[in-house]
Amino acid sequence: MAVNHAEFVVLGAGPGGYACAFRAADLGLNVTLVDPRADLGGVCLNEGCIPSKALLHAAEVIREARHVGDWGISFGEPKIDLNKLREKKNGIVKHLTDGLTGLAKRRKVNVVRGTASFTGPTGLEIDGAAWSFDQAVIAVGSSPVRLPGWPDDERIWDSGSALELRQVPKRLAIVGGGIIGLEMATIYAALGSNVTIIEFMEQIAPGADAEAVRILHDVLQQQGVIIHTGTKVVEVKATKAALGLSCEGVFDGEVKADAVIQAVGRSANGHLVNPQAAGVAIDARGIIAVDATCRTNVDNIFAIGDVTGNPMLAHRATHQGHVAAEVACGHAGALDTDFIPSVAYTSPELAWVGLIAATAKERGIPHKVSRFPWAASGRNLASGGGDGMTKLVYDPDTKRILGATIIGRNAGELLAELVLAMEMGATLEDIALTVHAHPTLSETIAFASERALGTLTDL
Ligand code: NAD
């Protein structure tokens, strides 16, 4: 049987895989990029980050239009044409996937549509065809976790089906109050659903700063979202009329819903490519361990992105993709940072990086905290913003930033300054003495630094 050969093959064309393939091609390798999807971009572009951001934008417009009633401007109740909204979202995705196809072509990346599986340390099968390769990158991502014992019912959605925007259910239950659950709640509450979030842990967005999360929790409740924390779903019953979720914990009782979104995390897809055949170690959860250069235990095989475990974030995958491509080409490269930002694109946004105060305390790391409340930010108030906070965790001796959390409008954009500050080892003085334009939300970062230094005049 004829064997196809790939000098450098990347399995999976998500934000990790395509970035890796493109970087490797730019460095002169002959690259093959394999994915079963018709379009490049993986989950993130096709049914995750980008479509959700399009719908979150629509949700924000609806909310803004409601809020300006207080400013003496009214538009009336929004009329939502679901088909048009879906088309708009799909159009944005198509524009970007077409763009990727063009970028792949210009780089002469050989895109193969198919499902790949290892047959040995230098062998693959792609839809039944035999391939050999010199170096490979596993970038096959993750899939939504499905809770066991739930009925098979088309009213039970995962994050992908929720973004298809099939309908706006009157009553929507969301199981899991992590980033996906919160973003879905933000979208569907604005579109008109009565949303209930059921979260197993004591707080929504577990892992984020509790004080900031409290602000988000309160705002979501003001938006009409019911939140049951410390509660688990023990049984789901489907009848024609509704789905009934029996809950136990802080909330004991039944939640009735017309649709349910399961958003209880994602699991790595490592087993899909049979890595054991190549000698690549994989754990029971489908996670493939890598070193800082993204190399697996097998020298010529790398892994990047969600398949390498947490944090399962697109921007981490992209950086790993670049590292793997560079290392494969003999360059020095590593992803050895803990400063990977997390953003929940809720309304308001919640963004954080590095240590939160609770973790610093738990680990006995000397730290201090400085906050700037957005009630004192002229720009926030003048642009209709509500509660918010910029919170810094810093080393009391070196005055370097150990972690930062921002809750408020555009928190995700604002956080970048603090990620850079941490990467560069900037001190509170460096930030405080940097002239921030007035009036901006970015000033809250300088103000929080000044507050820590005792030089703040704005509070
Ligand atoms: P997650 O791990 O962030 O949250 C899942 C939540 O479900 C947790 O709070 C968990 O305590 C809860 N949970 C688990 N089992 C439960 C149960 N039986 N009943 C009730 N609650 C339960 O996962 P996610 O929100 O599904 O997101 C998946 C991944 O995708 C994450 O790694 C996330 O970071 C990533 N993601 C990121 C973004 C973004 O960066 N904006 C957006 C979407 C997804």
Side-chain angles (χ1 to χ4, degrees):
M1 189 166 62
V3 173
N4 305 284
H5 183 74
E7 185 181 14
F8 186 77
V9 62
V10 182
L11 311 183
Y18 78 70
C20 180
F22 291 2
R23 184 79 186 109
D26 289 348
L27 289 169
L29 290 184
N30 194 328
V31 180
T32 300
L33 177 60
V34 190
D35 197 294
R37 278 177 202 273
D39 293 310
L40 301 182
V43 170
C44 176
L45 179 45
N46 290 284
E47 52 179 83
C49 325
I50 299 301
S52 63
K53 298 308 107 49
L55 298 184
L56 282 161
H57 171 67
E60 190 61 15
V61 172
I62 294 169
R63 279 207 178 90
E64 284 282 307
R66 280 194 186 124
H67 286 160
V68 290
D70 297 350
W71 296 49
I73 303 163
S74 49
F75 294 98
E77 270 307 294
K79 289 193 193 92
I80 299 163
D81 180 337
L82 221 50
N83 291 331
K84 208 157 180 187
L85 180 55
R86 191 184 308 110
E87 258 170 45
K88 184 74 194 167
K89 166 194 68 107
N90 292 346
I92 293 164
V93 170
K94 177 91 174 67
H95 174 79
L96 291 166
T97 53
D98 284 353
L100 284 182
T101 304
L103 292 177
K105 230 179 233 158
R106 266 184 269 165
R107 288 181 162 90
K108 299 192 171 51
V109 169
N110 176 28
V111 177
V112 175
R113 189 174 170 187
T115 302
S117 188
F118 285 97
T119 52
T122 56
L124 276 172
E125 200 179 88
I126 304 175
D127 281 355
W131 284 71
S132 61
F133 63 87
D134 297 335
Q135 299 191 87
V137 180
I138 306 169
V140 291
S142 61
S143 305
V145 168
R146 301 193 65 160
L147 290 169
W150 282 43
D152 214 7
D153 192 297
E154 60 180 23
R155 293 167 295 178
I156 298 174
W157 303 339
D158 61 20
S159 51
S161 36
L163 291 172
E164 285 170 14
L165 212 60
R166 297 173 186 172
Q167 48 148 317
V168 177
K170 200 163 179 320
R171 298 164 298 178
L172 173 68
I174 300 177
V175 182
I179 292 187
I180 292 184
L182 296 173
E183 291 184 355
M184 295 300 172
T186 305
I187 293 168
Y188 278 97
L191 293 177
S193 294
N194 294 314
V195 176
T196 303
I197 297 175
I198 302 152
E199 165 57 50
F200 183 67
M201 302 293 277
E202 274 170 33
Q203 68 168 48
I204 52 170
D209 178 80
E211 204 181 350
V213 168
R214 191 69 240 171
I215 295 175
L216 179 59
H217 188 116
D218 291 348
V219 176
L220 281 167
Q221 282 184 327
Q222 285 155 23
Q223 290 168 6
V225 176
I226 296 170
I227 303 173
H228 299 307
T229 50
T231 302
K232 69 174 178 192
V233 176
V234 287
E235 199 186 357
V236 180
K237 278 197 189 122
T239 64
K240 207 169 163 213
L243 293 157
L245 283 69
S246 308
C247 300
E248 270 178 15
V250 175
F251 172 75
D252 262 305
E254 194 187 38
V255 173
K256 280 209 179 297
D258 304 301
V260 179
I261 299 176
Q262 280 199 16
V264 293
R266 299 183 66 86
S267 62
N269 280 342
H271 288 299
L272 296 184
V273 291
N274 192 26
Q276 293 97 327
V280 172
I282 178 167
D283 75 11
R285 295 165 302 160
I287 295 172
I288 294 173
V290 289
D291 61 17
T293 68
C294 300
R295 222 187 270 279
T296 66
N297 61 311
V298 176
D299 245 16
N300 64 325
I301 302 179
F302 298 80
I304 60 171
D306 288 9
V307 78
T308 64
N310 286 321
M312 293 189 182
L313 294 167
H315 39 279
R316 169 175 169 262
T318 303
H319 275 265
Q320 286 182 314
H322 290 167
V323 166
E326 284 158 18
V327 172
C329 290
H331 295 261
L335 184 69
D336 56 0
T337 179
D338 289 332
F339 307 148
I340 295 177
S342 293
V343 182
Y345 297 87
T346 41
S347 176
E349 290 181 357
L350 171 66
W352 71 101
V353 63
L355 285 180
I356 59 168
T359 313
K361 194 171 166 195
E362 215 175 271
R363 295 189 195 157
I365 297 169
H367 68 283
K368 277 192 168 174
V369 171
S370 178
R371 302 168 181 79
F372 185 84
W374 282 29
S377 158
R379 183 59 200 269
N380 180 45
L381 299 179
S383 41
D387 284 344
M389 179 180 62
T390 297
K391 182 171 178 179
L392 305 180
V393 179
Y394 62 94
D395 182 317
D397 290 331
T398 63
K399 305 280 192 291
R400 285 190 178 186
I401 314 291
L402 301 173
T405 298
I406 305 180
I407 171 96
R409 183 190 298 244
N410 284 341
E413 304 290 340
L414 294 170
L415 191 74
E417 175 179 346
L418 286 158
V419 184
L420 182 64
M422 290 172 75
E423 278 292 343
M424 304 298 288
T427 62
L428 292 169
E429 281 94 346
D430 292 324
I431 299 173
L433 296 177
T434 298
V435 180
H436 290 66
H438 175 74
T440 58
L441 297 171
S442 70
E443 279 176 307
T444 65
I445 297 169
F447 292 157
S449 306
E450 287 178 350
R451 192 172 189 192
L453 296 168
T455 57
L456 178 65
T457 53
D458 275 72
L459 267 191

PDB file of all heavy atoms in Angstrom, residues 61-77 382:
ATOM      1  N   VAL A  61     -25.803  44.545  24.012  1.00  0.00           N
ATOM      2  CA  VAL A  61     -26.574  45.619  23.368  1.00  0.00           C
ATOM      3  C   VAL A  61     -27.982  45.676  23.960  1.00  0.00           C
ATOM      4  O   VAL A  61     -28.501  46.754  24.268  1.00  0.00           O
ATOM      5  CB  VAL A  61     -26.610  45.415  21.837  1.00  0.00           C
ATOM      6  CG1 VAL A  61     -27.574  46.403  21.181  1.00  0.00           C
ATOM      7  CG2 VAL A  61     -25.212  45.555  21.246  1.00  0.00           C
ATOM      8  N   ILE A  62     -28.584  44.497  24.155  1.00  0.00           N
ATOM      9  CA  ILE A  62     -29.938  44.449  24.737  1.00  0.00           C
ATOM     10  C   ILE A  62     -29.918  45.083  26.125  1.00  0.00           C
ATOM     11  O   ILE A  62     -30.757  45.906  26.478  1.00  0.00           O
ATOM     12  CB  ILE A  62     -30.448  42.981  24.801  1.00  0.00           C
ATOM     13  CG1 ILE A  62     -30.640  42.433  23.384  1.00  0.00           C
ATOM     14  CG2 ILE A  62     -31.735  42.881  25.606  1.00  0.00           C
ATOM     15  CD1 ILE A  62     -30.889  40.931  23.319  1.00  0.00           C
ATOM     16  N   ARG A  63     -28.909  44.713  26.904  1.00  0.00           N
ATOM     17  CA  ARG A  63     -28.825  45.240  28.289  1.00  0.00           C
ATOM     18  C   ARG A  63     -28.585  46.738  28.290  1.00  0.00           C
ATOM     19  O   ARG A  63     -29.192  47.482  29.053  1.00  0.00           O
ATOM     20  CB  ARG A  63     -27.669  44.584  29.021  1.00  0.00           C
ATOM     21  CG  ARG A  63     -28.022  43.278  29.519  1.00  0.00           C
ATOM     22  CD  ARG A  63     -27.253  42.816  30.730  1.00  0.00           C
ATOM     23  NE  ARG A  63     -27.846  41.543  31.019  1.00  0.00           N
ATOM     24  CZ  ARG A  63     -27.407  40.396  30.506  1.00  0.00           C
ATOM     25  NH1 ARG A  63     -26.330  40.389  29.756  1.00  0.00           N
ATOM     26  NH2 ARG A  63     -28.036  39.293  30.756  1.00  0.00           N
ATOM     27  N   GLU A  64     -27.676  47.175  27.437  1.00  0.00           N
ATOM     28  CA  GLU A  64     -27.363  48.612  27.367  1.00  0.00           C
ATOM     29  C   GLU A  64     -28.628  49.392  27.023  1.00  0.00           C
ATOM     30  O   GLU A  64     -28.909  50.427  27.616  1.00  0.00           O
ATOM     31  CB  GLU A  64     -26.308  48.868  26.288  1.00  0.00           C
ATOM     32  CG  GLU A  64     -24.913  48.477  26.695  1.00  0.00           C
ATOM     33  CD  GLU A  64     -24.285  49.498  27.618  1.00  0.00           C
ATOM     34  OE1 GLU A  64     -24.266  50.687  27.264  1.00  0.00           O
ATOM     35  OE2 GLU A  64     -23.829  49.103  28.706  1.00  0.00           O
ATOM     36  N   ALA A  65     -29.364  48.865  26.039  1.00  0.00           N
ATOM     37  CA  ALA A  65     -30.576  49.567  25.603  1.00  0.00           C
ATOM     38  C   ALA A  65     -31.567  49.672  26.767  1.00  0.00           C
ATOM     39  O   ALA A  65     -32.241  50.679  26.925  1.00  0.00           O
ATOM     40  CB  ALA A  65     -31.205  48.834  24.421  1.00  0.00           C
ATOM     41  N   ARG A  66     -31.619  48.628  27.598  1.00  0.00           N
ATOM     42  CA  ARG A  66     -32.521  48.678  28.768  1.00  0.00           C
ATOM     43  C   ARG A  66     -32.014  49.710  29.771  1.00  0.00           C
ATOM     44  O   ARG A  66     -32.778  50.508  30.302  1.00  0.00           O
ATOM     45  CB  ARG A  66     -32.584  47.316  29.448  1.00  0.00           C
ATOM     46  CG  ARG A  66     -33.521  46.408  28.702  1.00  0.00           C
ATOM     47  CD  ARG A  66     -33.886  45.160  29.491  1.00  0.00           C
ATOM     48  NE  ARG A  66     -34.665  44.302  28.606  1.00  0.00           N
ATOM     49  CZ  ARG A  66     -34.362  43.048  28.309  1.00  0.00           C
ATOM     50  NH1 ARG A  66     -33.323  42.472  28.863  1.00  0.00           N
ATOM     51  NH2 ARG A  66     -35.110  42.365  27.483  1.00  0.00           N
ATOM     52  N   HIS A  67     -30.697  49.697  30.015  1.00  0.00           N
ATOM     53  CA  HIS A  67     -30.131  50.569  31.052  1.00  0.00           C
ATOM     54  C   HIS A  67     -30.267  52.045  30.718  1.00  0.00           C
ATOM     55  O   HIS A  67     -30.435  52.853  31.622  1.00  0.00           O
ATOM     56  CB  HIS A  67     -28.644  50.244  31.282  1.00  0.00           C
ATOM     57  CG  HIS A  67     -28.460  48.976  32.032  1.00  0.00           C
ATOM     58  ND1 HIS A  67     -27.284  48.267  32.033  1.00  0.00           N
ATOM     59  CD2 HIS A  67     -29.322  48.278  32.805  1.00  0.00           C
ATOM     60  CE1 HIS A  67     -27.441  47.180  32.766  1.00  0.00           C
ATOM     61  NE2 HIS A  67     -28.657  47.169  33.244  1.00  0.00           N
ATOM     62  N   VAL A  68     -30.179  52.376  29.441  1.00  0.00           N
ATOM     63  CA  VAL A  68     -30.220  53.810  29.137  1.00  0.00           C
ATOM     64  C   VAL A  68     -31.606  54.402  29.378  1.00  0.00           C
ATOM     65  O   VAL A  68     -31.785  55.610  29.280  1.00  0.00           O
ATOM     66  CB  VAL A  68     -29.701  54.182  27.723  1.00  0.00           C
ATOM     67  CG1 VAL A  68     -28.215  53.998  27.624  1.00  0.00           C
ATOM     68  CG2 VAL A  68     -30.453  53.454  26.645  1.00  0.00           C
ATOM     69  N   GLY A  69     -32.567  53.559  29.737  1.00  0.00           N
ATOM     70  CA  GLY A  69     -33.862  54.066  30.192  1.00  0.00           C
ATOM     71  C   GLY A  69     -33.640  55.038  31.355  1.00  0.00           C
ATOM     72  O   GLY A  69     -34.285  56.088  31.439  1.00  0.00           O
ATOM     73  N   ASP A  70     -32.689  54.692  32.224  1.00  0.00           N
ATOM     74  CA  ASP A  70     -32.364  55.564  33.377  1.00  0.00           C
ATOM     75  C   ASP A  70     -31.773  56.896  32.933  1.00  0.00           C
ATOM     76  O   ASP A  70     -31.678  57.829  33.716  1.00  0.00           O
ATOM     77  CB  ASP A  70     -31.288  54.917  34.276  1.00  0.00           C
ATOM     78  CG  ASP A  70     -31.766  53.632  34.896  1.00  0.00           C
ATOM     79  OD1 ASP A  70     -32.965  53.347  34.798  1.00  0.00           O
ATOM     80  OD2 ASP A  70     -30.919  52.906  35.457  1.00  0.00           O
ATOM     81  N   TRP A  71     -31.281  56.950  31.712  1.00  0.00           N
ATOM     82  CA  TRP A  71     -30.637  58.159  31.203  1.00  0.00           C
ATOM     83  C   TRP A  71     -31.632  58.978  30.370  1.00  0.00           C
ATOM     84  O   TRP A  71     -31.242  59.911  29.657  1.00  0.00           O
ATOM     85  CB  TRP A  71     -29.409  57.812  30.348  1.00  0.00           C
ATOM     86  CG  TRP A  71     -28.296  57.130  31.089  1.00  0.00           C
ATOM     87  CD1 TRP A  71     -28.390  56.060  31.923  1.00  0.00           C
ATOM     88  CD2 TRP A  71     -26.908  57.479  31.066  1.00  0.00           C
ATOM     89  NE1 TRP A  71     -27.157  55.705  32.413  1.00  0.00           N
ATOM     90  CE2 TRP A  71     -26.223  56.570  31.901  1.00  0.00           C
ATOM     91  CE3 TRP A  71     -26.167  58.463  30.414  1.00  0.00           C
ATOM     92  CZ2 TRP A  71     -24.847  56.630  32.103  1.00  0.00           C
ATOM     93  CZ3 TRP A  71     -24.792  58.520  30.608  1.00  0.00           C
ATOM     94  CH2 TRP A  71     -24.139  57.607  31.460  1.00  0.00           C
ATOM     95  N   GLY A  72     -32.876  58.561  30.389  1.00  0.00           N
ATOM     96  CA  GLY A  72     -33.898  59.299  29.650  1.00  0.00           C
ATOM     97  C   GLY A  72     -33.996  58.908  28.191  1.00  0.00           C
ATOM     98  O   GLY A  72     -34.593  59.608  27.378  1.00  0.00           O
ATOM     99  N   ILE A  73     -33.396  57.761  27.849  1.00  0.00           N
ATOM    100  CA  ILE A  73     -33.455  57.317  26.446  1.00  0.00           C
ATOM    101  C   ILE A  73     -34.131  55.953  26.426  1.00  0.00           C
ATOM    102  O   ILE A  73     -33.679  55.031  27.112  1.00  0.00           O
ATOM    103  CB  ILE A  73     -32.026  57.180  25.854  1.00  0.00           C
ATOM    104  CG1 ILE A  73     -31.276  58.500  25.968  1.00  0.00           C
ATOM    105  CG2 ILE A  73     -32.069  56.705  24.404  1.00  0.00           C
ATOM    106  CD1 ILE A  73     -29.779  58.377  25.797  1.00  0.00           C
ATOM    107  N   SER A  74     -35.207  55.819  25.654  1.00  0.00           N
ATOM    108  CA  SER A  74     -35.800  54.473  25.635  1.00  0.00           C
ATOM    109  C   SER A  74     -36.049  54.004  24.213  1.00  0.00           C
ATOM    110  O   SER A  74     -36.421  54.777  23.330  1.00  0.00           O
ATOM    111  CB  SER A  74     -37.079  54.441  26.463  1.00  0.00           C
ATOM    112  OG  SER A  74     -37.905  55.506  26.100  1.00  0.00           O
ATOM    113  N   PHE A  75     -35.789  52.713  24.035  1.00  0.00           N
ATOM    114  CA  PHE A  75     -35.959  52.088  22.711  1.00  0.00           C
ATOM    115  C   PHE A  75     -37.145  51.138  22.688  1.00  0.00           C
ATOM    116  O   PHE A  75     -37.458  50.559  21.674  1.00  0.00           O
ATOM    117  CB  PHE A  75     -34.706  51.272  22.354  1.00  0.00           C
ATOM    118  CG  PHE A  75     -33.464  52.102  22.164  1.00  0.00           C
ATOM    119  CD1 PHE A  75     -32.544  52.241  23.190  1.00  0.00           C
ATOM    120  CD2 PHE A  75     -33.214  52.731  20.966  1.00  0.00           C
ATOM    121  CE1 PHE A  75     -31.397  52.995  23.009  1.00  0.00           C
ATOM    122  CE2 PHE A  75     -32.060  53.482  20.786  1.00  0.00           C
ATOM    123  CZ  PHE A  75     -31.157  53.620  21.815  1.00  0.00           C
ATOM    124  N   GLY A  76     -37.721  50.859  23.847  1.00  0.00           N
ATOM    125  CA  GLY A  76     -38.790  49.858  23.909  1.00  0.00           C
ATOM    126  C   GLY A  76     -38.214  48.464  24.010  1.00  0.00           C
ATOM    127  O   GLY A  76     -36.984  48.279  23.984  1.00  0.00           O
ATOM    128  N   GLU A  77     -39.082  47.475  24.121  1.00  0.00           N
ATOM    129  CA  GLU A  77     -38.626  46.080  24.252  1.00  0.00           C
ATOM    130  C   GLU A  77     -37.942  45.613  22.956  1.00  0.00           C
ATOM    131  O   GLU A  77     -38.421  45.935  21.862  1.00  0.00           O
ATOM    132  CB  GLU A  77     -39.815  45.167  24.545  1.00  0.00           C
ATOM    133  CG  GLU A  77     -40.113  44.996  26.027  1.00  0.00           C
ATOM    134  CD  GLU A  77     -38.914  44.549  26.842  1.00  0.00           C
ATOM    135  OE1 GLU A  77     -38.434  43.420  26.632  1.00  0.00           O
ATOM    136  OE2 GLU A  77     -38.427  45.339  27.685  1.00  0.00           O
ATOM    137  N   ALA A 382     -19.464  57.358  34.196  1.00  0.00           N
ATOM    138  CA  ALA A 382     -19.887  58.156  33.034  1.00  0.00           C
ATOM    139  C   ALA A 382     -20.216  57.284  31.835  1.00  0.00           C
ATOM    140  O   ALA A 382     -20.794  57.758  30.859  1.00  0.00           O
ATOM    141  CB  ALA A 382     -18.787  59.148  32.673  1.00  0.00           C
TER     142      ALA A 382
END
